[in-house]
Amino acid sequence: MTSTSPDTRRRLLFLLLMVLVGLNLRPALSSLAPLLVRVQQDTGLSPLAIGALTTLPVLCLGIFAPLAPWLSKRLGAERTLALALGALIVGLALRGIPPIPLLFAGTLLVGAAIGVAGTLLPALVKRELPGSADLMTGVYTMALCLGGALGAGLSIPLANLLGSWQASLISWSLLAAAALVAWIRLMPRSPQAGGLSPPGGSMRQLLTQPLAWQVMLLMGSQSSLAYIVFGWLPTLLQTRGYGESEAGWLMGASVMVQLISALGAPWLARLGRDQRPALLLVLACVGTGLWLLLQGPYSWRWAGVVLLGLGQGGSFSLALTLIVLRTANSRLAGKLSGLAQGGGYTLAAMGPLAVGVLLQLDVGLPTVTTVLLLIVAAAAGFALLAGRNRRLDVDDDGRLITR
């Protein structure tokens, strides 16, 4: 009988922890969207204020993501992730406490925590599982999608069961607490103090590389669509005439479908010389799915749900996979992750805010749909650049180059 080697056990343990942490990085965002109508009715917030509530966490993802490499260098990646999970628990609890300012403060803290944790994980995957980092990123993305689906699908039932939307929001802190306990007890300990990997180029050098900007813009444009769906799809569906529960379940089903393409997209990306065909395919699914749900025949709504889910799960998985494919080591992956997710999510925050402004101006659903399809087109343009087979590396003189 063969025994499992310590390295294999370490990798399996890290994989399980990665999935548990990933499960917590989307319910904080997706659980609020189905409750927005109730929140607006109870608080009297304007559509613009509700738009700010959906934009704030995404903006914080962008603002705080670049802090992850800095904190990791000083505290270690493992302790930094534990700190982020602790902040996530506090933020989730604050969102359900009655004064309205605490709703916004908790949402801000949630965004900051997810920004740091989400930036660290791709670099940790590159460090712990270097031989299959792209495929394991798909597993991590699948966990994100499952968490998003649970947040969207269970939000209304939890509010009905627990008696209020506040209690529904607070309940997600229990899952985050379980992840924090597991991470503290079982997290991998790197023999390298503080750092994630061998030295790489500086952030200043990274900013001079067009490839880094291309990955960031792709991340930002496709994430903008994702957070518009998280923040506004149930409201847009209700505007079209769907009931509150049905709108929430349609969104939840779409996010659940993301599990398939989140796991499968990195395998699809390995079939060609680069990732452009795979990226264009999933973005085409996003555009078609959005049109079917918002403008297409009612009888085609489930086709729209499936296509939107396949497209968004695949596009997000591939965008994260590019971070590890476009870098030569985990230190560079951490820096590119900070830039791509920091700058990308800051751009992505403009999407939910723009939809809030459009609804405040009482524009019709066809106009909103057109705006969403224009974002899909922009993402496709950036995909043609970022999807090429190139990689950031450090030459013998310590300079950052694109190979």
Side-chain angles (χ1 to χ4, degrees), residues 323-336:
I323 293 174
V324 298
L325 290 178
R326 297 295 174 264
T327 50
N329 60 56
S330 59
R331 188 65 174 272
L332 277 174
K335 290 178 179 178
L336 182 59

Side-chain angles (χ1 to χ4, degrees), residues 368-387:
V368 175
T369 306
T370 300
V371 170
L372 297 183
L373 294 180
L374 287 173
I375 298 174
V376 173
F382 299 132
L384 290 172
L385 297 172

Side-chain angles (χ1 to χ4, degrees), residues 45-362:
L45 292 171
S46 68
L48 191 58
I50 292 291
L53 194 62
T54 63
T55 300
L56 187 61
V58 187
L59 185 61
C60 288
L61 257 65
I63 293 173
F64 288 92
L67 281 179
W70 183 84
L71 287 171
S72 175
K73 186 176 180 180
R74 285 152 182 80
L75 302 178
E78 299 83 1
R79 292 190 185 90
T80 302
L81 187 55
L83 179 65
L85 287 172
L88 179 62
I89 295 169
V90 175
L92 289 168
L94 284 178
R95 291 197 310 175
I97 299 176
I100 293 177
L102 289 182
L103 173 62
F104 282 87
T107 301
L108 186 152
L109 190 56
V110 160
I114 296 173
V116 171
T119 301
L120 283 174
L121 277 172
L124 280 167
V125 170
K126 183 92 173 178
R127 188 190 79 184
E128 296 293 324
L129 307 164
S132 55
D134 54 341
L135 301 181
M136 291 305 101
T137 300
V139 175
Y140 160 60
T141 310
M142 185 184 69
L144 291 178
C145 296
L146 178 58
L150 292 174
L154 296 179
S155 188
I156 295 293
L158 281 173
N160 294 337
L161 177 67
L162 300 175
S164 69
W165 59 266
Q166 292 95 335
S168 177
L169 293 178
I170 290 175
S171 66
W172 293 103
S173 63
L174 299 177
L175 182 61
L180 176 60
V181 171
W183 182 259
I184 289 175
R185 290 177 61 88
L186 303 172
M187 63 182 177
R189 267 74 177 181
S190 171
Q192 300 168 4
L196 279 168
S197 74
S202 68
M203 183 61 74
R204 181 178 296 180
Q205 289 178 321
L206 189 64
L207 291 172
T208 66
Q209 299 296 316
L211 178 59
W213 287 91
Q214 291 157 10
V215 173
M216 184 198 77
L217 290 169
L218 173 62
M219 176 66 76
S221 53
Q222 69 82 29
S223 294
S224 178
L225 294 162
Y227 292 115
I228 288 171
V229 168
F230 276 138
W232 286 111
L233 183 61
T235 302
L236 295 173
L237 291 174
Q238 288 175 59
T239 300
R240 199 181 178 194
Y242 292 93
E244 180 186 54
S245 292
E246 185 179 12
W249 279 110
L250 285 172
M251 173 183 158
S254 179
V255 179
M256 186 64 75
V257 173
Q258 292 182 18
L259 298 175
I260 302 169
S261 54
L263 187 60
W267 293 90
L268 179 64
R270 282 191 168 192
L271 297 179
R273 295 179 59 188
D274 58 38
Q275 288 70 51
R276 286 176 292 181
L279 283 164
L280 293 178
L281 175 62
V282 295
L283 288 170
C285 289
V286 172
T288 306
L290 285 170
W291 186 87
L292 286 174
L293 282 171
L294 300 179
Q295 298 298 317
Y298 179 81
S299 59
W300 283 78
R301 66 193 184 282
W302 286 106
V305 163
V306 172
L307 286 171
L308 180 61
L310 290 175
Q312 292 206 296
S315 62
F316 184 60
S317 181
L318 288 173
L320 283 178
T321 300
L322 287 184
I323 293 174
V324 298
L325 290 178
R326 297 295 174 264
T327 50
N329 60 56
S330 59
R331 188 65 174 272
L332 277 174
K335 290 178 179 178
L336 182 59
S337 181
L339 175 64
Q341 298 194 61
Y345 288 144
T346 301
L347 290 174
M350 301 302 104
L353 181 61
V355 173
V357 170
L358 291 173
L359 295 179
Q360 179 80 23
L361 296 174
D362 286 327

Side-chain angles (χ1 to χ4, degrees), residues 3-20 121 124-133 136-137 139-140 183 186-189:
S3 59
T4 306
S5 70
D7 283 347
T8 301
R9 287 196 298 269
R10 174 189 172 99
R11 292 190 184 100
L12 288 173
L13 182 59
F14 173 76
L15 185 60
L16 291 173
L17 289 172
M18 178 185 71
V19 169
L20 183 57
L121 277 172
L124 280 167
V125 170
K126 183 92 173 178
R127 188 190 79 184
E128 296 293 324
L129 307 164
S132 55
M136 291 305 101
T137 300
V139 175
Y140 160 60
W183 182 259
L186 303 172
M187 63 182 177
R189 267 74 177 181

